[in-house]
Each structure stands twice: as C-alpha cells, then as structure tokens.
Amino acid sequence: MKLPEYKIVDFVREQNYFDRSQASTSVVCKAQKNDEKTTYNLKQSSCKGNAYSYVTTLNNWALYHAKQGNFFEASHLLKRSYGIRKAFWLYHPTTVVTLSNLALVYNFSGLLREAEITSLEAIDLMERTKSADYLHAALHFFALASLYKYQRRYKEEESSYRAILFVYESHYGANDAHVIGTKARLANCLTGQKKFSEAEQLYYDILAEACQRENNPIEDSSEAQGNVVLQTLEADKLWFKVSNILYPTVAETIKKLTDLYAYRDDYNLVL
C-alpha cells in the first residue's frame, strides 16, 4: 500500500513510545499527579501571573524538544501546559494554539488516536470561541485528511478535503494553487471510493486551469511540498503550517485521468 504524501506515521517512534510507556507507567502516573498538584496550587494561590509564566515555560521547553525531533517529550510538556491553560483560560487564543500544537505533535509522533481526538477537540474549541482563524482550522483538517487516508477511512478523508476546499476558496480564491491542489487530492480520494463522475469532473476543471496557466505562464513562488511542516516560531504561537503547493501540471492531470479511466474500466469489468 502506498503511504500518503504527508507521512504522519513513524513506526519506529510509535514502537519506542509504547515501549517507554509500558516501561515507565509509574513515572507517567507520578508526573500526572504532579501536574494536578501544580494546577491545584496555582488555583489556590489565585495568581494567574505565576500560572501564565509557568505554562509559557512549559511551551518553550516543548518547542525546544520539538525542534530536536523529540516529539514524545514535547507532547508531554504541551499536555501539561494545556491542562493548566484549560483550567484558567479555556477560551484564550493561546489555549487553542497550545492544543493545536499538541495535536500536530501527536501526528509527528505517530500517535494517531491521540492526534485525531486532539485535532477534533481543537476544531470544536475554535468553533465555540467564534473567533477562529479558518486557515488554522484548515491545518487540522489537512492533518486529519492524511490520517484518514492512511487508515483508509475515505469518507472522513473526503469530508476533510471538502472542509479545506471551502476555507481555501473563501480565503485565496478559486484559482489559487491551494484550491487547485486540494481539488486534486479530493479527486484522488473520490476515485478511491469509485465516485468516478465527480472525480472526472474535478480533473477536467484542474486540466482546464492547467492548460490556461501553461499557455499564459504566471510567476509562481509556491513550493512543491503541500505537507504539514514545523516552523521555528515563538512558543505560544502556532508552530506548524501547510507549506505551499504547486499547481498540478497538464501532464500530471492527464496521467490522473488515465489512471481513473483504467480503474473505472477494471471496476466495470468485475461488475
């Protein structure tokens, strides 16, 4: 099976995580009790300034470990930070950002169940605050789409791409590379579900746009990535972004259409 373009699973890290978890259950329980005690003490002191300084320090350490590739330790620190922020400032923007960073760190750790639950919690929190940056929400949908693709949960993957498409079309406009690239991913997802008619129409739209662009070239600074990547920013800011996406070329789109027709013909022969 071909892995998704955004590889959110690292089997070695995942195995190491569970090995460490089983080998240090008492340590994890002790840390959790310490976190609860810290939160209780901060509440009792009624000093939000101390609490804010403490969680900012946790985020700084988490960012340091994330930059080193130690996502296990980063996730633990972010989880501690979020627990305290949730108790003091549930709807504060930095609380949403901390939760978002935690969800995406789980992705990089290969902890799929935790990543999905935390991403959905972050999206829900953004919706409840009614002050969400929709590109921030799209980042979660992008990560979820890749997760669902890996797990072959194609209906959920499709729903995620449709949500991303809505955000990108509203923010960038219909002809932007983010929109066209997302349409290509959606078409591929629809093909896998045997929704050939809609996938074919999307590829025709992409092909028409590609022909127009190649006949009338426009300078484009997009990068050929389209992955969720770690940025080295401030600890209390969002650490991740979706890197820029190149427009699909005419040749690439024709190849996708050819694959779709071959897959459809094979499917019809079976029927």
Side-chain angles (χ1 to χ4, degrees):
M1 181 186 71
K2 184 180 179 182
L3 289 175
E5 292 173 294
Y6 166 40
K7 186 181 177 184
I8 59 176
V9 182
D10 186 323
F11 294 102
V12 175
R13 276 205 189 101
E14 187 174 10
Q15 184 61 49
N16 289 342
Y17 169 82
F18 287 115
D19 289 345
R20 285 195 299 269
S21 297
Q22 293 174 4
S24 58
T25 303
S26 60
V27 175
V28 172
C29 291
K30 184 178 179 181
Q32 185 174 355
K33 288 179 181 179
N34 288 339
D35 294 341
E36 291 171 356
K37 185 177 180 180
T38 301
T39 305
Y40 175 79
N41 289 338
L42 288 169
K43 279 186 172 181
Q44 289 297 106
S45 68
S46 300
C47 184
K48 290 190 176 182
N50 288 343
Y52 197 83
S53 297
Y54 180 70
V55 294
T56 300
T57 300
L58 288 176
N59 281 25
N60 274 307
W61 275 110
L63 178 57
Y64 169 79
H65 285 291
K67 288 178 183 178
Q68 303 300 314
N70 186 357
F71 296 111
F72 171 78
E73 185 62 30
S75 66
H76 176 63
L77 291 165
L78 285 173
K79 188 175 181 180
R80 292 170 62 187
S81 176
Y82 174 64
I84 297 170
R85 290 174 189 272
K86 187 177 181 180
F88 280 96
W89 314 279
L90 177 58
Y91 298 113
H92 193 276
T94 57
T95 303
V96 178
V97 167
T98 298
L99 185 61
S100 293
N101 286 333
L102 175 59
L104 295 164
V105 164
Y106 279 145
N107 272 350
F108 277 86
S109 301
L111 302 176
L112 305 189
R113 183 172 180 276
E114 290 88 342
E116 179 182 6
I117 291 171
T118 311
S119 282
L120 291 173
E121 184 181 354
I123 293 168
D124 178 67
L125 188 56
M126 282 187 275
E127 289 177 347
R128 281 189 283 151
T129 58
K130 299 186 183 299
S131 58
D133 176 354
Y134 289 105
L135 290 177
H136 183 167
L139 178 65
H140 283 290
F141 283 118
F142 195 97
L144 285 168
S146 297
L147 185 154
Y148 294 141
K149 181 177 181 178
Y150 174 77
Q151 295 179 328
R152 299 187 179 185
R153 295 163 61 183
Y154 298 124
K155 288 185 179 180
E156 289 96 334
E157 181 192 358
E158 177 187 342
S159 297
S160 297
Y161 282 136
R162 291 191 188 280
I164 297 167
L165 201 55
F166 175 80
V167 172
Y168 282 172
E169 285 181 333
S170 300
H171 186 82
Y172 294 116
N175 295 322
D176 185 82
H178 290 79
V179 175
I180 305 301
T182 302
K183 283 184 176 181
R185 291 168 185 257
L186 175 58
N188 185 61
C189 175
L190 292 169
T191 301
Q193 297 180 79
K194 304 176 182 63
K195 297 181 179 180
F196 300 117
S197 297
E198 187 179 358
E200 182 180 21
Q201 185 58 55
L202 280 171
Y203 280 132
Y204 277 140
D205 294 343
I206 295 166
L207 183 59
E209 195 280 336
C211 290
Q212 184 177 3
R213 279 191 62 80
E214 292 189 11
N215 289 328
N216 301 283
I218 300 173
E219 186 178 350
D220 179 32
S221 60
S222 296
E223 303 169 5
Q225 291 291 334
N227 299 328
V228 175
V229 295
L230 175 66
Q231 304 179 91
T232 53
L233 298 176
E234 300 173 48
D236 285 340
K237 301 292 185 181
L238 190 64
W239 302 348
F240 300 87
K241 68 174 183 176
V242 177
S243 59
N244 292 332
I245 304 170
L246 278 179
Y247 286 95
T249 66
V250 170
E252 290 168 346
T253 309
I254 291 175
K255 175 65 166 58
K256 289 289 186 180
L257 272 169
T258 303
D259 292 342
L260 182 150
Y261 294 144
Y263 184 30
R264 185 176 63 185
D265 290 344
D266 290 343
Y267 178 71
N268 290 335
L269 281 174
V270 172
L271 293 179

